[in-house]
Amino acid sequence: MAGHSKWHNIQHRKGRQDAKKGKIFTKVTKEIMLAARDGGGEPDKNPRLRAAIDSAKSANLPKDKIETAIKKGTGELAADQIEESVCEGYGPGGVAMLVQIATDNKNRTVAEVRHLLSKNGGSMGESGCVAWMFDHKGVLSFDKESYSEEQLLEVGLEAGAEDIIDDGEVWQVRCAPEDFTPLQQAYQEAGMEVSEAELTMVPQNTVGVDPETGRKVLKLYDALDDLDDVQNIYTNFELPQELLQELEN
């Protein structure tokens, strides 16, 4: 899964650059509102909200805007009605595409996603057609130069860690969503710095693509990501090394 993970890391760096343009602010604000609406406004009791706040801080969203988004989610402040949904389909080469949306007009946004899939060599599928290919996981990343696999295991096993993945420059510690907050707290109490923490959809297996197909998939991904109402896009493709090197450069 190295090609998939490395691409994922490149996307996160790109996301931090986009934050300077303010685009990511809309997405992280929506996620905070939705998380607070569904699970309450206390991060220690709401793993999704805790992850959303961490993402917002990484994107440099101001503290007052984070607090406002929480209050809008809990109903303390008035807010637009936002509906969550998932669009499932396939991209070029048959790769799975799981597109999470948050919108005030579901019909419009689903139509936009369907159009972009068709326009870029993909297709919309029925509900459940690709969701089974992914697992909902908490993922904590740690700098390899700072910690060993043994150190992470020693702290993590009792707190819910399921697996530790060698992900190039970082270790990825994976857990069930309900163990996300306790695991993060355990590492923090041990004085171990988490470089990134998220609740995400992890593909069970990846599908290798050739450079030409990879470029088409990336074009589709970027087109979907540019939609204001698209929150997250999960895929199972694995890019070839030559294409990853192009992206790095």
Side-chain angles (χ1 to χ4, degrees):
M1 201 180 288
H4 182 83
S5 296
K6 191 171 183 181
W7 165 80
H8 181 75
N9 294 334
I10 293 170
Q11 283 301 119
H12 274 278
R13 290 199 293 273
K14 176 179 179 294
R16 283 192 281 272
Q17 293 166 358
D18 286 348
K20 298 175 183 177
K21 307 172 189 176
K23 183 178 184 299
I24 197 73
F25 282 8
T26 300
K27 293 187 177 183
V28 295
T29 299
K30 276 186 182 179
E31 177 61 17
I32 291 172
M33 289 171 57
L34 292 166
R37 184 186 72 185
D38 292 347
E42 298 182 43
D44 289 343
K45 297 179 180 179
N46 184 345
R48 182 179 177 185
L49 179 59
R50 183 186 180 102
I53 291 172
D54 287 343
S55 294
K57 288 179 177 178
S58 295
N60 296 316
L61 185 69
K63 183 179 179 181
D64 63 323
K65 292 190 181 297
I66 292 175
E67 293 172 350
T68 297
I70 293 173
K71 289 178 180 178
K72 285 184 176 180
T74 58
E76 294 177 63
L77 294 175
D80 294 333
Q81 187 62 35
I82 299 174
E83 181 179 3
E84 287 185 280
S85 188
V86 176
C87 300
E88 300 181 47
Y90 304 91
V95 303
M97 307 287 291
L98 198 62
V99 184
Q100 292 182 340
I101 62 174
T103 176
D104 59 1
N105 188 328
K106 180 180 174 180
N107 290 338
R108 179 199 66 217
T109 304
V110 170
E112 290 173 340
V113 171
R114 186 189 306 275
H115 171 71
L116 287 177
L117 284 167
S118 299
K119 181 181 177 182
N120 291 277
S123 62
M124 187 84 93
E126 297 294 326
S127 177
C129 68
V130 300
W132 62 272
M133 302 179 188
F134 298 83
D135 293 321
H136 191 202
K137 295 290 182 183
V139 179
L140 309 179
S141 296
F142 295 84
D143 184 2
K144 263 189 174 182
E145 294 184 1
S146 301
Y147 309 105
S148 67
E149 183 177 8
E150 290 73 22
Q151 287 175 301
L152 295 173
L153 276 171
E154 185 178 353
V155 174
L157 281 179
E158 292 186 6
E162 293 180 345
D163 201 3
I164 296 183
I165 307 296
D166 184 342
D167 193 26
E169 298 176 358
V170 300
W171 296 110
Q172 269 193 7
V173 181
R174 296 179 180 175
C175 66
E178 60 269 22
D179 292 325
F180 179 75
T181 297
L183 184 60
Q184 195 170 2
Q185 290 174 337
Y187 283 121
Q188 289 173 344
E189 290 169 4
M192 303 174 78
E193 183 178 353
V194 180
S195 60
E196 186 177 345
E198 61 179 342
L199 287 169
T200 187
M201 302 298 289
V202 178
Q204 295 172 2
N205 297 288
T206 55
V207 176
V209 296
D210 58 51
E212 181 181 356
T213 302
R215 291 185 183 93
K216 291 177 180 178
V217 175
L218 292 176
K219 182 181 178 183
L220 169 58
Y221 183 100
D222 287 339
L224 290 168
D225 196 41
D226 282 340
L227 290 179
D228 289 338
D229 292 335
V230 168
Q231 288 293 99
N232 295 293
I233 307 163
Y234 303 108
T235 71
N236 67 343
F237 66 86
E238 184 164 358
L239 297 178
Q241 285 300 318
E242 59 188 278
L243 189 49
L244 287 168
Q245 289 173 357
E246 286 182 24
L247 293 174
E248 285 278 29
N249 297 330

